Amino acid sequence: MKRCFREKVVHVLAGLVVLNLFACAGVTELDVSLVDDGIKKDPIEFVAPEFRPSLSAQRKMVDAMGPRGFDNEMLANIRQTGGSGRPVLLDEPKVTEHLVTGINGAPDVPVFIVGEKADSPRPAILYIHGGGYILGDATTDLQRLQSISQKHDAVIVSVEYRLAPETPFPGPVEDSYAALKWMADNADQLGIDTSRIAVMGESAGGGLAAMLTLMARDRTEVDRAEVDIVQQILIYPMLDDRTGSTKVMPYWMGAYSWNDVANRFGWSSLLGVPAGSKQVPAGSVPAREKDLRGLPPTFIAVGAVDLFVNEDIDYAQRLLASGVPTELIVLPGGYHGFQVSNPKTVLANRFHDAVDAALKRTFKVEDI
């Protein structure tokens, strides 16, 4: 049966474009059905009850729209209309802008620095925004990053990497590496303790953080890494191009927010070949990396109905099997980006508490 989807851009938050793409009635091609008395459950029944009212309202908004897939025209429309300008910032800590020299002749990379203070060395985070490798920008999360900086007394650098499909792999991760290297090289000026630099990313930003950590492990100076990463914090990371293409997911995973249609488009844009292809550029898909040894301690958090939940669990298992200290949090009923669209809910609070606890352990600091 022909597949079709209805979609609407709901909002852009935390660098994540939240889309609703709902399968038309009767679509069964990729469904792994769970039935009660022969009737397949509505996907919303797998979502935490506290999220259901807002998701039901969103679904009603899209039911009147006609079928359409994710394509370049839709991407252009989202980029044109999806953003709402820079967020209102807190008075403290201060946010400054800088241009980092690109690697090997690449364009300069804009970065936003939160909490720069050239006094005593403090922990630092390189933050990489989400958006499916094709959307988002480094400014969207700045107010939230200010709060994290203040809470953990940390310097945070948010990187404005180039987006696909205009800049395919390795451009976005090279931009991120340029920012990471700049942080280490300018640690005294920025007030950074180079022994406590973490990388953190959400969704596609989490995928880039994982790629970056692999790249940093493999790039050496005199038999040691150019930059030591103390931990990678991966928030529902986008790690496997095969999800939703050659790997079929249960129908309720990805039913809300980012789904398999968007996932194939995002990965194909980054890779320059169709998602799920037999061959992809080396280093571009963390889930396909054969050797995960020597990576820093890792924290992964994902919702149980997120499209990425299986790939994230699998990556955590492989890290553990490679001797990498790894913490995995799977939040029941959480969909992709739930803590952004529902920030004051019980599950969102559990999520934020887990991330804060991971950062405290990594940086070895008390509450500020």
Side-chain angles (χ1 to χ4, degrees), residues 163-201:
L163 299 175
E166 294 83 357
T167 304
F169 181 88
V173 70
E174 290 284 8
D175 291 348
S176 301
Y177 190 85
L180 177 68
K181 186 74 163 52
W182 174 80
M183 289 171 66
D185 291 344
N186 294 273
D188 291 343
Q189 175 187 336
L190 298 170
I192 290 175
D193 177 354
T194 56
S195 70
R196 292 189 291 170
I197 298 178
V199 297
M200 178 178 180

Side-chain angles (χ1 to χ4, degrees), residues 87-110:
V88 176
L89 299 181
L90 306 176
D91 291 336
E92 295 289 342
K94 297 299 183 185
V95 177
T96 57
E97 299 181 40
H98 186 80
L99 277 179
V100 173
T101 302
I103 292 177
N104 295 327
D108 290 346
V109 182

Side-chain angles (χ1 to χ4, degrees), residues 44-113:
I44 205 164
E45 294 187 39
F46 298 91
V47 175
E50 59 184 336
F51 301 145
R52 293 176 189 173
S54 62
L55 290 178
S56 295
Q58 290 173 11
R59 185 163 187 168
K60 289 178 182 178
M61 291 171 60
V62 303
D63 277 344
M65 301 185 70
R68 181 180 172 191
F70 204 124
D71 55 22
N72 285 316
E73 182 182 355
M74 180 178 177
L75 174 61
N77 289 337
I78 294 173
R79 287 179 175 177
Q80 183 176 1
T81 63
S84 56
R86 292 191 181 182
V88 176
L89 299 181
L90 306 176
D91 291 336
E92 295 289 342
K94 297 299 183 185
V95 177
T96 57
E97 299 181 40
H98 186 80
L99 277 179
V100 173
T101 302
I103 292 177
N104 295 327
D108 290 346
V109 182
V111 296
F112 295 83
I113 311 157

Side-chain angles (χ1 to χ4, degrees), residues 160-233:
E160 190 76 271
Y161 60 87
R162 291 167 292 166
L163 299 175
E166 294 83 357
T167 304
F169 181 88
V173 70
E174 290 284 8
D175 291 348
S176 301
Y177 190 85
L180 177 68
K181 186 74 163 52
W182 174 80
M183 289 171 66
D185 291 344
N186 294 273
D188 291 343
Q189 175 187 336
L190 298 170
I192 290 175
D193 177 354
T194 56
S195 70
R196 292 189 291 170
I197 298 178
V199 297
M200 178 178 180
E202 300 185 4
S203 191
L208 285 170
M211 295 177 213
L212 175 63
T213 304
L214 287 159
M215 179 181 285
R217 177 197 65 180
D218 297 337
R219 290 191 175 175
T220 60
E221 283 182 339
V222 194
D223 296 327
R224 62 163 295 172
E226 291 182 331
V227 182
D228 290 319
I229 295 173
V230 67
Q231 186 171 35
Q232 54 178 342
I233 307 286

Side-chain angles (χ1 to χ4, degrees), residues 68-312:
R68 181 180 172 191
F70 204 124
D71 55 22
N72 285 316
E73 182 182 355
M74 180 178 177
L75 174 61
N77 289 337
I78 294 173
R79 287 179 175 177
Q80 183 176 1
T81 63
S84 56
R86 292 191 181 182
V88 176
L89 299 181
L90 306 176
D91 291 336
E92 295 289 342
K94 297 299 183 185
V95 177
T96 57
E97 299 181 40
H98 186 80
L99 277 179
V100 173
T101 302
I103 292 177
N104 295 327
D108 290 346
V109 182
V111 296
F112 295 83
I113 311 157
V114 182
E116 172 186 356
K117 287 190 296 187
D119 46 20
S120 59
R122 294 176 296 140
I125 300 170
L126 176 67
Y127 179 79
I128 309 175
H129 72 79
Y133 302 122
I134 53 176
L135 295 159
D137 65 70
T139 67
T140 309
D141 300 325
L142 285 177
Q143 186 182 109
R144 187 158 55 95
L145 296 180
Q146 285 180 295
S147 297
I148 294 173
S149 171
Q150 193 167 50
K151 185 166 191 175
H152 297 281
D153 192 27
V155 180
I156 303 179
V157 175
S158 182
V159 56
E160 190 76 271
Y161 60 87
R162 291 167 292 166
L163 299 175
E166 294 83 357
T167 304
F169 181 88
V173 70
E174 290 284 8
D175 291 348
S176 301
Y177 190 85
L180 177 68
K181 186 74 163 52
W182 174 80
M183 289 171 66
D185 291 344
N186 294 273
D188 291 343
Q189 175 187 336
L190 298 170
I192 290 175
D193 177 354
T194 56
S195 70
R196 292 189 291 170
I197 298 178
V199 297
M200 178 178 180
E202 300 185 4
S203 191
L208 285 170
M211 295 177 213
L212 175 63
T213 304
L214 287 159
M215 179 181 285
R217 177 197 65 180
D218 297 337
R219 290 191 175 175
T220 60
E221 283 182 339
V222 194
D223 296 327
R224 62 163 295 172
E226 291 182 331
V227 182
D228 290 319
I229 295 173
V230 67
Q231 186 171 35
Q232 54 178 342
I233 307 286
L234 310 180
I235 308 303
Y236 37 79
M238 187 173 174
L239 300 171
D240 195 342
D241 66 300
R242 297 164 294 186
T243 296
S245 54
T246 59
K247 291 183 177 180
V248 177
M249 302 298 293
Y251 71 92
W252 61 90
M253 291 180 182
Y256 298 96
S257 186
W258 190 257
N259 79 348
D260 58 346
V261 175
N263 204 50
R264 289 193 295 272
F265 185 87
W267 272 113
S268 299
S269 298
L270 178 73
L271 299 176
V273 297
S277 292
K278 186 175 181 179
Q279 298 292 330
V280 296
S284 62
V285 181
R288 295 197 190 212
E289 288 296 307
K290 294 187 178 356
D291 185 4
L292 301 181
R293 293 173 298 176
L295 292 176
T298 301
F299 172 88
I300 299 175
V302 64
V305 295
D306 194 310
L307 182 69
F308 301 149
V309 62
N310 285 357
E311 67 187 61
D312 292 352

